[in-house]
Amino acid sequence: MSQAWQRFGWGRFTEVDLFTDRYETNIVSLSQAIRAAASEEPDADGSVLFGHIKGNVVGLRYYKGVVNPGEMVGLVREPQNPYDRNAVMVTNINGNRVGHIKRELAAPMAHIMDNNLAKVEGVVYLGTTNQFNMPVTLSFWGREENKDAVTKSLARHGFKLNMGLVLAKGTGKYNQPGAFATASKKGVTIPLTAEELKNAFDNLFEGLMESKDGEREAAESVGTPLLLHQKQALSWMCARENKSALPPFWEKRGDLYYNTVTCFSAKEVPERVRGGILADDMGLGKTLTTIALILTNFHNGKPLPVEKCEKGYSPMKAATKPLTDSKLEGSSSALDEGARVSDATAASLCSDLPQAEVICVDKPDIVDLTDSSKGKAKATKRKATKVAPKLLDDLDFAAALSGSAAPDTASKKKKTAKKATPASTTAVEVPPIPESAEDLSARATLIICPLSVLSNWLEQFEQHVRANVKLNVYLYYGAERNRSQKFLSSQDVVITTYNVLSTDFGNKSPLHGIRWLRVVLDEGHVVRNPNAQMSKAVLDLKSSRRWILSGTPIQNHVKDLWMLLAFLRVKPFDVKEWWNRVIQRPVTQGDKTGLQNLQTLVKCITLRRTKSTEVNGRLLVSLPDKSIFVEQVELSQQEREEYELARSEGRNTISRYVAEGTMLGNYADVLVILMRLRQHCCHPGLLSKTSPESGAAATPTELRERLIEKLRLVLASGSDEECAVCLESVRLPVITHCAHVYCQPCIAQVICVEKETARCPLCRSEIKTSELVEFPQEEMEEDNGTNSERWRTSSKVQALLGNLLRLRCEDSSIKCLVVSQFTRFLTILETPLREHGFTFVRLDGTMSQKKRTQVIREFQSSAAESPTIMLLSLKAGGVGLNLTAASRVFLMDPAWNPATEEQCIDRCHRLGQTKKVVVTKFIVKDSVEENMVKIQRQKQDLVEKAFGSTSANRKTSRIDDIKALMEL
DNA sequence: ACCGCCGGGTGCC
DNA sequence: ACCGCCGGGTGCC
């Protein structure tokens, strides 16, 4: 049993349902299969080595691409080659053409490559200095079922795949450890043990502080004093932007730069990665550090030149200053100068709201904007005003532009900065990155974040930038956003969301036309699926420096890292093929060298500290204590009877499935049974009014009704259903006859590609377009009709009330989070809270961003009449939510994923919390909830990272889980 | 390419 | 000589 648990990945932070989570890893490979079928790049996972052959690269003398002994080479089909449509070009890692594969071999290779029968990889060991041709070792990788076709195809042309170990001569270097280790075992690798993998992965982001350089004081325009670890982070970030060392795996050898993993060498310094991943735990101040970076490290290491207002600052007054014009342009949705967050900003957060809401503040500006933004005269004028007073008057900036020593003011600032920077670099000195004219012309930093943290950024800019400093922060959001490239690139900071970015992308996006000084991806791990439009939009941004902020950089899988490295342009791993070859496949196959390389890679570009990281024996941040109590709840006699009735019904159904071996096919039914039990534990009002049917559906209409009901239940279960195809939250949900939920477009595509053979990616049942059932739109809205029924209490409600009332007597100032996965439970709780005179607010996933911001502000307020309770839906908000006003948390029902609960608790147990945090989990005695908690505990000890487990294992485990839950 | 291959020149030694 | 041999031209796909 315990072995089975190891197969599951529980590292994800999105709220997941018991079964969805398990499916997740499975889903990934299935959706890969789907994508591969759609002839997109197949993934490295699951490939086996078919064998090697020796080939020849010819035509060397015609091309200037050079290779080193042991170097990996790329093989690129050239179907358009006028001399041979089978042509296969050979390139080095830089993509420079080296030569071609000899025609006879190119013929079968072309066939194999064009039909995606195998991935062919080449390494050159000898003859790299030959004038005309050189040998190359080719290895063929692919899915087992294609092995035969590949072997035959080669044999037809007289080539025989060799399974033996191909030793590297010459350098003695062993460059494809994964490949050759596999070869020697006939395609079966001995992976690292689960324990080794777990340790390796856990350590991937640990101990990254070791040799980071010193600390650095922020520029004086940063009003908030930085904590020690934030100064260290700032120093590290500045260093990475200014004099970043060679990228991972590069060494200087004589006059050349040499990559130790790929064996590629080049005369020129490899393009350095200006930026990296700041992966500090949440609450350590990534936002503040980033703001400090923006203000502290402009060109040539000088602070960002900013205009200062000598007198007390007022956003409204500033409108009379010379810069008004450019400011006016954006101010309807821009932050007003100085990053003051005005109500206008808050309003602009919700451009999708009725216009009246947006216009409520700053009416004149909006009017101004709408009829001026297209005026030519206006644009010219804007340019003039911008350049004159704002930029050229600034001596720092002038100095930065000319590259000469700054006049007085600047050097003074420099001194302050220097003073606090102890002789910093211990690492080998690498010359500062010379900034090209193009680089120097970049001014603005683009910050992309999820909508949920947008307001946080605005608040933090307001909070941390000195009041007399005029920082141009523009919020690029809302229908009225200013799309002028001139305007945007003249800002200091432009903030936008991933959604806006990808909406703009491909639609003459101004954001993509600008060369940014810096692009910052906040919560960078949200960009995960490389096929998504969002990823493409992000990768296409032009910038000198790139940063990823993330509290959880690896969520489940090595795969997730590719996107990050590609964004940072860590060569050559930004090219998927090299990433797969050098890192992903070796790691997924449990190869130690691969893992080491991955570790090195991550270490080089990442700074990560956790709340428990110590510096000089001190914790980075000392948070107040947190204690977690479990409060057992006894059901009343009536509740117990109802529960037992449902349980025995459910057990009967499930044991029938177990006996028939059809549990997986009846996944949704099982889910529904378990959810009913969970609902019984909370409150009878959660149970759906329609009685559970049994037996086969008599009519198609009946079946349809039943499926819709299932879909409704799945969606309402509080689990954030992820579409198994696109891996995003389900949009336009449809349910299959086998009762699995997908995005309509996603599953439609699957069916379209696979035609008659289409099968459900989750359970492999046959599926047809005609059988997909959509969720009727009108029902998407939460039915509020339940309130009319007379209200009834439940044991759990009573338990909560007891706590709340006691607490109010003891200390009425204490604020509480009341958390449930069932939003309907939150609704039910409203009645008794109101009855007992509690003031409360509610935050759930259905609320608009504006409403959320307002609710959080209300709750965080320390005013006497401010609410003391927040009813919080577990899935609402996500990371980054700051609810430090609360110091008590009541978890009304256990989550399947313990990490979700942790994350929720961390919303108040984070930086800024001054009180001890007390968490109470309500668990109904002798119920499915208790079993869930047991399972949670086992999971926590055995976090598995989606390596090496087979879907067969997972399926068995899933069945075991359900059996355990039902005590079968 | 210090090869192989092609095709023209040549033809006992 | 419908050959052999020589030596120049040539050379990725």
Side-chain angles (χ1 to χ4, degrees):
Chain A
M1 184 72 174
S2 73
Q3 268 197 339
W5 296 121
Q6 293 180 32
R7 308 291 174 187
F8 298 156
W10 282 97
R12 292 180 45 86
F13 280 71
T14 42
E15 150 62 337
V16 277
D17 179 277
L18 172 66
F19 307 106
T20 351
D21 198 50
R22 261 156 241 199
Y23 271 115
E24 217 270 341
T25 47
N26 199 17
I27 284 159
V28 172
S29 58
L30 283 162
S31 61
Q32 278 160 10
I34 293 160
R35 279 182 208 126
S39 92
E40 282 184 52
E41 158 122 2
D43 237 83
D45 293 0
S47 294
V48 296
L49 179 66
F50 297 161
H52 313 277
I53 50 177
K54 282 273 189 185
N56 256 298
V57 187
V58 293
L60 300 186
R61 67 160 155 161
Y62 296 95
Y63 309 105
K64 52 183 189 297
V66 286
V67 284
N68 291 306
E71 184 168 333
M72 301 179 181
V73 292
L75 300 161
V76 185
R77 277 282 289 121
E78 272 187 322
Q80 302 301 334
N81 189 302
Y83 304 96
D84 182 358
R85 57 187 177 81
N86 291 327
V88 178
M89 177 173 74
V90 178
T91 70
N92 67 17
I93 294 194
N94 236 13
N96 300 322
R97 182 158 18 185
V98 173
H100 284 94
I101 293 292
K102 220 166 155 38
R103 315 184 95 92
E104 304 83 64
L105 180 52
M109 271 178 70
H111 173 250
I112 288 163
M113 292 167 85
D114 294 347
N115 292 295
N116 236 323
L117 298 172
K119 281 240 139 212
V120 193
E121 298 180 355
V123 181
V124 166
Y125 295 106
L126 318 151
T128 50
T129 53
N130 289 358
Q131 247 187 105
F132 305 103
N133 52 44
M134 64 183 172
V136 58
T137 304
L138 301 166
S139 43
F140 292 75
W141 296 82
R143 280 178 298 156
E144 191 63 54
E145 62 262 35
N146 292 330
K147 182 170 179 174
D148 208 43
V150 170
T151 313
K152 281 200 176 120
S153 170
L154 287 166
R156 255 199 306 280
H157 291 82
F159 297 96
K160 190 173 174 292
L161 276 174
N162 179 3
M163 281 311 294
L165 200 86
V166 180
L167 280 173
K169 280 199 249 161
T171 59
K173 256 215 137 200
Y174 203 62
N175 287 293
Q176 280 187 304
F180 296 138
T182 311
S184 62
K185 298 277 182 233
K186 268 199 138 187
V188 184
T189 44
I190 301 175
L192 301 177
T193 65
E195 190 60 23
E196 281 173 307
L197 266 180
K198 174 180 149 40
N199 286 341
F201 232 84
D202 285 353
N203 292 335
L204 202 52
F205 282 87
E206 301 305 328
L208 300 181
M209 256 315 276
E210 284 153 19
S211 64
K212 310 291 183 190
D213 31 5
E215 54 201 78
R216 174 156 175 173
E217 213 67 53
E220 59 180 72
S221 45
V222 181
T224 311
L226 298 190
L227 300 173
L228 176 67
H229 72 275
Q230 292 164 343
K231 289 180 196 169
Q232 287 170 337
L234 179 61
S235 164
W236 177 75
M237 292 176 93
C238 290
R240 285 218 50 94
E241 289 193 346
N242 300 344
K243 55 170 169 51
S244 141
L246 289 172
F249 309 121
W250 286 91
E251 305 177 343
K252 195 157 188 216
R253 291 193 179 173
D255 290 339
L256 295 176
Y257 294 90
Y258 182 76
N259 185 308
T260 56
V261 180
T262 60
C263 296
F264 178 72
S265 67
K267 257 210 178 88
E268 310 77 41
V269 191
E271 197 183 316
R272 276 171 274 181
V273 180
R274 303 184 68 181
I277 306 174
L278 180 58
D280 281 350
D281 256 3
M282 59 185 160
L284 294 185
K286 289 191 287 290
T287 308
L288 171 56
T289 310
T290 305
I291 292 172
L293 176 73
I294 292 169
L295 290 163
T296 308
N297 198 44
F298 197 50
H299 295 298
N300 294 316
K302 298 194 171 62
L304 178 75
V306 281
E307 194 179 287
K308 299 204 185 90
C309 311
E310 293 312 327
K311 290 174 191 161
Y313 175 79
S314 149
M316 288 307 143
K317 260 188 194 143
T320 60
K321 299 189 61 176
L323 293 172
T324 310
D325 201 27
S326 72
K327 180 215 55 165
L328 265 181
E329 277 266 325
S331 58
S332 81
S333 53
L335 269 186
D336 282 341
E337 53 275 270
R340 292 320 91 190
V341 179
S342 62
D343 290 341
T345 314
S348 71
L349 275 171
C350 282
S351 62
D352 47 342
L353 287 178
Q355 277 299 306
E357 301 236 39
V358 180
I359 296 176
C360 62
V361 200
D362 271 4
K363 236 181 210 155
D365 281 3
I366 285 198
V367 173
D368 214 314
L369 167 87
T370 40
D371 53 19
S372 74
S373 55
K374 275 156 199 146
K376 233 192 202 157
K378 209 80 179 190
T380 340
K381 200 168 146 203
R382 181 203 327 139
K383 188 174 163 194
T385 45
K386 182 192 71 185
V387 173
K390 188 155 95 188
L391 304 187
L392 294 187
D393 276 6
D394 193 295
L395 297 173
D396 281 352
F397 186 72
L401 272 181
S402 68
S404 65
D408 274 0
T409 47
S411 57
K412 241 183 260 159
K413 271 183 203 166
K414 211 168 133 196
K415 248 185 258 160
T416 359
K418 263 276 155 60
K419 202 170 56 192
T421 315
S424 50
T425 42
T426 50
V428 193
E429 201 69 50
V430 177
I433 301 172
E435 297 197 72
S436 66
E438 195 190 24
D439 287 338
L440 283 170
S441 67
R443 176 183 181 90
T445 294
L446 175 66
I447 298 171
I448 304 152
C449 62
L451 183 55
S452 58
V453 293
L454 224 168
S455 57
N456 184 49
W457 274 99
L458 300 174
E459 279 159 21
Q460 302 242 350
F461 267 109
E462 177 179 41
Q463 192 185 332
H464 300 308
V465 179
R466 261 184 218 290
N468 66 347
V469 167
K470 181 184 172 314
L471 186 73
N472 285 311
V473 179
Y474 183 74
L475 177 62
Y476 186 75
Y477 187 85
E480 301 295 309
R481 58 183 179 263
N482 187 335
R483 301 165 145 276
S484 152
Q485 285 191 24
K486 241 173 218 161
F487 168 75
L488 291 170
S489 55
S490 70
Q491 299 297 306
D492 296 312
V493 178
V494 174
I495 306 181
T496 192
T497 68
Y498 288 103
N499 267 328
V500 170
L501 183 80
S502 51
T503 311
D504 267 21
F505 185 58
N507 186 26
K508 39 186 171 51
S509 159
L511 301 181
H512 289 87
I514 293 171
R515 177 161 188 98
W516 302 94
L517 173 66
R518 196 186 278 111
V519 173
V520 178
L521 301 188
D522 188 23
E523 302 298 341
H525 56 269
V526 305
V527 196
R528 193 154 57 98
N529 173 3
N531 293 320
Q533 200 63 9
M534 189 168 77
S535 309
K536 288 170 188 156
V538 157
L539 291 180
D540 216 48
L541 289 165
K542 287 154 208 61
S543 179
S544 310
R545 318 175 188 181
R546 294 184 172 81
W547 285 101
I548 292 165
L549 312 183
S550 173
T552 50
I554 290 196
Q555 293 219 326
N556 234 0
H557 201 280
V558 221
K559 244 198 290 288
D560 298 347
L561 272 171
W562 179 78
M563 199 46 223
L564 308 185
L565 295 168
F567 171 72
L568 295 175
R569 316 231 165 150
V570 184
K571 315 273 176 187
F573 306 113
D574 53 337
V575 173
K576 193 76 167 272
E577 193 200 329
W578 298 114
W579 161 259
N580 283 341
R581 242 179 109 163
V582 182
I583 306 284
Q584 186 171 309
R585 192 185 51 224
V587 171
T588 42
Q589 296 191 346
D591 174 71
K592 280 190 183 151
T593 321
L595 200 55
Q596 274 161 16
N597 286 337
L598 177 60
Q599 258 157 348
T600 310
L601 194 55
V602 168
K603 264 186 197 183
C604 286
I605 54 168
T606 308
L607 178 63
R608 167 162 173 88
R609 282 82 52 85
T610 63
K611 272 180 241 174
S612 51
T613 304
E614 293 182 7
V615 174
N616 305 333
R618 280 204 330 256
L619 283 176
L620 286 186
V621 277
S622 48
L623 281 178
D625 289 344
K626 169 181 80 178
S627 35
I628 301 179
F629 299 99
V630 170
E631 186 167 325
Q632 276 202 337
V633 177
E634 294 252 19
L635 293 180
S636 70
Q637 200 190 330
Q638 187 195 349
E639 286 167 338
R640 174 55 70 184
E641 281 166 13
E642 287 165 357
Y643 178 87
E644 289 302 331
L645 188 65
R647 176 166 170 272
S648 66
E649 268 179 28
R651 274 178 59 127
N652 287 342
T653 311
I654 292 176
S655 37
R656 197 177 72 237
Y657 293 149
V658 172
E660 292 169 356
T662 56
M663 184 131 82
L664 290 172
N666 290 299
Y667 164 71
D669 279 340
V670 174
L671 192 79
V672 166
I673 289 167
L674 286 169
M675 194 171 57
R676 288 226 176 85
L677 293 181
R678 287 162 60 201
Q679 289 170 331
H680 268 293
C681 291
C682 291
H683 192 276
L686 294 175
L687 293 153
S688 56
K689 287 149 288 174
T690 49
S691 61
E693 302 117 299
S694 54
T699 66
T701 324
E702 222 176 289
L703 177 65
R704 195 189 146 77
E705 284 301 311
R706 216 171 287 174
L707 285 172
I708 290 176
E709 176 62 14
K710 277 180 189 166
L711 180 57
R712 199 177 69 79
L713 280 166
V714 169
L715 292 178
S717 67
S719 67
D720 179 19
E721 278 293 309
E722 212 171 60
C723 166
V725 180
C726 69
L727 309 181
E728 311 281 325
S729 281
V730 176
R731 286 181 314 115
L732 298 173
V734 290
I735 193 163
T736 59
H737 265 212
C738 50
H740 296 108
V741 179
Y742 301 95
C743 306
Q744 193 277 332
C746 292
I747 198 69
Q749 200 203 334
V750 170
I751 297 177
C752 181
V753 169
E754 299 184 7
K755 302 271 162 33
E756 288 74 30
T757 63
R759 289 176 180 275
C760 171
L762 285 168
C763 70
R764 310 308 285 165
S765 306
E766 282 181 29
I767 47 174
K768 293 196 188 105
T769 313
S770 58
E771 289 176 351
L772 296 178
V773 178
E774 279 176 43
F775 200 72
Q777 274 303 313
E778 65 274 20
E779 284 187 45
M780 285 302 281
E781 305 303 319
E782 186 99 352
D783 56 314
N784 294 323
T786 43
N787 283 352
S788 54
E789 292 165 28
R790 64 190 161 77
W791 196 81
R792 162 185 162 178
T793 190
S794 78
S795 300
K796 219 181 233 185
V797 172
Q798 289 311 112
L800 172 70
L801 275 181
N803 275 278
L804 290 176
L805 291 169
R806 199 177 329 122
L807 202 61
R808 184 160 66 179
C809 289
E810 286 165 10
D811 184 349
S812 60
S813 73
I814 286 182
K815 297 198 179 199
C816 310
L817 301 179
V818 175
V819 185
S820 173
Q821 299 170 79
F822 304 105
T823 48
R824 271 158 71 209
F825 195 26
L826 298 179
T827 310
I828 288 168
L829 287 170
E830 287 178 16
T831 308
L833 290 186
R834 232 176 253 120
E835 252 169 35
H836 288 87
F838 287 103
T839 45
F840 60 89
V841 286
R842 171 178 173 138
L843 186 65
D844 65 47
T846 65
M847 295 163 84
S848 71
Q849 190 55 33
K850 179 188 170 144
K851 186 84 179 139
R852 282 179 204 221
T853 319
Q854 185 197 324
V855 158
I856 292 167
R857 204 167 285 176
E858 243 180 278
F859 184 69
Q860 287 287 90
S861 155
S862 49
E865 71 282 8
S866 66
T868 55
I869 295 172
M870 175 181 278
L871 295 172
L872 180 64
S873 136
L874 194 67
K875 67 174 172 176
V879 263
L881 207 53
N882 187 353
L883 300 174
T884 45
S887 58
R888 295 276 329 225
V889 181
F890 295 99
L891 298 174
M892 299 308 295
D893 33 87
W896 292 115
N897 185 345
T900 318
E901 291 182 354
E902 279 302 314
Q903 195 188 16
C904 185
I905 295 166
D906 282 347
R907 283 168 195 174
C908 73
H909 191 243
R910 57 183 280 163
L911 218 59
Q913 179 58 264
T914 53
K915 299 187 174 120
K916 284 201 292 185
V917 170
V918 180
V919 180
T920 306
K921 294 185 183 185
F922 293 109
I923 303 293
V924 169
K925 208 178 159 212
D926 299 322
S927 76
V928 67
E929 289 191 344
E930 272 192 346
N931 294 332
M932 284 171 67
V933 173
K934 276 185 212 151
I935 289 174
Q936 273 191 10
R937 269 194 215 117
Q938 293 169 12
K939 304 259 179 199
Q940 227 151 7
D941 298 335
L942 297 162
V943 179
E944 183 259 14
K945 305 287 184 185
F947 298 106
S949 53
T950 66
S951 58
N953 285 325
R954 275 189 291 273
K955 277 179 192 161
T956 330
S957 314
R958 215 176 297 134
I959 293 170
D960 288 345
D961 270 5
I962 295 165
K963 284 197 209 161
L965 282 168
M966 296 305 288
E967 295 167 11
L968 280 168

